[in-house]
Amino acid sequence: MSNRRDFLKTTLLATSALALPNVSRSAASLSGSVPGGAGARVVSTWDFGVPANQAAWAVLGKGGKPLDAVEAGAQIPESDLSNHSVGRAGYPDRDGKVTLDASIMDGDGRCGAVAALEHIGHPIKVARKVMEDTPHVLLVGDGALEFALQQGFTRENLLTPESEKAWHEWLKQAKYKPVANSENLDYHRSLPAPGMPGGKNNHDTIGMLAVDANGRLAGACTTSGMAWKLHGRVGDSPIIGAGLYVDNEVGGATSTGVGEEVIRNAGSFLVVELMRQGRSPQEACEEAVRRIVKKHPDGAKEIQVGFLALRRDGECGAYAIQKGFTYAVCDVRKQDLLLASPSVYQTTFT
Ligand code: SD4
């Protein structure tokens, strides 16, 4: 058993290394938490969190605001055309439309979000505009697009030839099953993912949390949502309290995976409230995952959800249902740390 586990761990690390050649060897460790006390820190979900953190650190490391840092960091995967899960080049819905969800929040409770937004490559920037230039929190669909265009954003075609090809592949069977990224799940591995190493699907959300040296926080979350979703479907990422929640008194949390599960459990809010009650970031993420698992008589074996939490002292924690969730941590000591989160299921189902 332990050999098998080691093998699986090595496989995970090899995959990460393939996707990100610059990630250092220390990315190798399986770890749910990193102690605080290092001053300012930024953390984010998945492998692409490493370059995103570095962009955020360019702001935060110079004493910039956490809100500016997370907005800058989130734009890295949004711009990356080889990434089919966030921003431009995101996989479309079942009708071939790319619809994006994003939210941003600071530790004073100010927040903004957009959902089912089409034709705008940087939904996180629109979310910030909603926060700062309207009395509202969430704009959706055509109204969100109209607002973005009025604010001077450029209308773009977000469906790249590669994503369109993947959509046509999917249409051959048109089988929809909302399973998010996990190495455990055969279905997930079989999704068409042109351009991904070994055909590995990488349909994930970036959730990012930053804290400055004074314990002031902000967070951002941006995604194209579940590939091949029903047109109009909105996940957890733009829902404050589900995909993202931040409170300067405590810390912040963000999520990835099947958004419906996170919304049903007010996931990120729950993690922050558990930390407020004294749980560590790691314990809080574990409890939030357990609540989801408990509601599934089969033990949620077909579902992936991961939480990432950052406390105001900089300590962070992560936990997922399935093996394979990674998160990136960046501070003054190290800007390219990638860790494998512990999970309920540490082995591959066969
Ligand atoms: C959603 N939580 O729209 C997002 C998708 C995701 O890994 O995170 N996939 O439900």
Side-chain angles (χ1 to χ4, degrees):
M1 186 64 181
S2 112
N3 280 350
R4 179 165 169 72
R5 203 167 279 154
D6 288 345
F7 168 75
L8 291 168
K9 196 159 144 190
T10 313
T11 309
L12 166 68
L13 300 170
T15 311
S16 301
L18 251 182
L20 272 170
N22 292 331
V23 170
S24 68
R25 268 300 271 139
S26 57
S29 41
L30 178 75
S31 173
S33 89
V34 183
R41 174 173 280 171
V42 56
V43 298
S44 44
T45 54
W46 301 110
D47 296 14
F48 51 40
V50 172
N53 280 356
Q54 288 166 350
W57 188 251
V59 177
L60 197 67
K62 287 194 199 110
K65 284 192 197 141
L67 191 70
D68 294 331
V70 296
E71 187 188 14
Q75 286 177 60
I76 299 300
E78 282 184 345
S79 302
D80 181 357
L81 297 184
S82 68
N83 174 335
H84 298 294
S85 56
V86 180
R88 295 188 182 100
Y91 281 155
D93 63 22
R94 60 192 307 156
D95 300 337
K97 293 176 174 150
V98 181
T99 68
L100 305 178
D101 295 342
S103 62
I104 193 161
M105 183 169 195
D106 76 12
D108 295 325
R110 297 190 315 149
C111 50
V114 288
L117 173 64
E118 291 182 61
H119 307 301
I120 304 290
H122 284 304
I124 199 66
K125 291 175 75 172
V126 187
R128 181 155 181 187
K129 289 278 183 199
V130 172
M131 168 177 152
E132 292 182 336
D133 295 350
T134 80
H136 307 306
V137 167
L138 174 62
L139 293 182
V140 306
D142 289 348
L145 175 59
E146 207 174 294
F147 170 74
L149 296 174
Q150 278 164 4
Q151 291 285 327
F153 287 85
T154 307
R155 187 185 177 106
E156 301 173 39
N157 174 19
L158 302 179
L159 186 67
T160 60
E162 206 181 35
S163 296
E164 193 171 5
K165 198 171 150 215
W167 173 56
H168 283 297
E169 272 302 304
W170 175 80
L171 278 176
K172 287 181 188 160
Q173 291 200 320
K175 186 176 154 204
Y176 180 67
K177 197 177 170 199
V179 177
N181 197 351
S182 167
E183 296 188 349
N184 294 8
L185 305 170
D186 281 341
Y187 169 78
H188 183 83
R189 284 193 295 267
S190 70
L191 282 174
M196 292 306 299
K200 180 178 181 280
N201 188 279
N202 193 21
H203 195 272
D204 308 304
T205 293
I206 183 150
M208 173 177 275
L209 304 161
V211 64
D212 69 15
N214 301 314
R216 300 185 65 78
L217 292 120
C221 190
T222 175
T223 188
S224 52
M226 305 298 289
W228 339 125
K229 61 195 173 186
L230 284 179
H231 183 60
R233 179 265 187 190
V234 170
D236 56 323
S237 308
I239 309 295
I240 298 297
L244 179 68
Y245 196 72
V246 185
D247 185 335
N248 276 340
E249 285 184 3
V250 182
T254 189
S255 60
T256 181
V258 181
E260 284 76 0
E261 297 295 328
V262 179
I263 294 171
R264 285 184 191 117
N265 290 277
S268 291
F269 182 73
L270 175 62
V271 171
V272 172
E273 290 311 297
L274 289 166
M275 288 197 287
R276 194 190 305 275
Q277 291 163 20
R279 311 268 184 118
S280 70
Q282 178 61 31
E283 289 165 346
C285 291
E286 288 181 17
E287 176 59 23
V289 164
R290 253 184 243 121
R291 299 257 181 118
I292 292 172
V293 171
K294 230 165 52 182
K295 289 182 181 155
H296 289 267
D298 74 342
K301 290 203 169 102
E302 291 289 310
I303 293 165
Q304 174 64 312
V305 169
F307 287 105
L308 176 61
L310 178 67
R311 205 167 53 194
R312 66 189 302 278
D313 67 351
E315 180 164 325
C316 59
Y319 200 63
I321 302 177
Q322 313 291 343
K323 179 179 182 291
F325 175 40
T326 55
Y327 66 104
V329 180
C330 171
D331 57 33
V332 71
R333 292 177 303 214
K334 198 153 182 50
Q335 286 89 52
D336 61 354
L337 183 62
L338 182 70
L339 296 161
S341 165
S343 52
V344 177
Y345 302 111
Q346 281 293 345
T347 53
T348 299
F349 299 119
T350 50

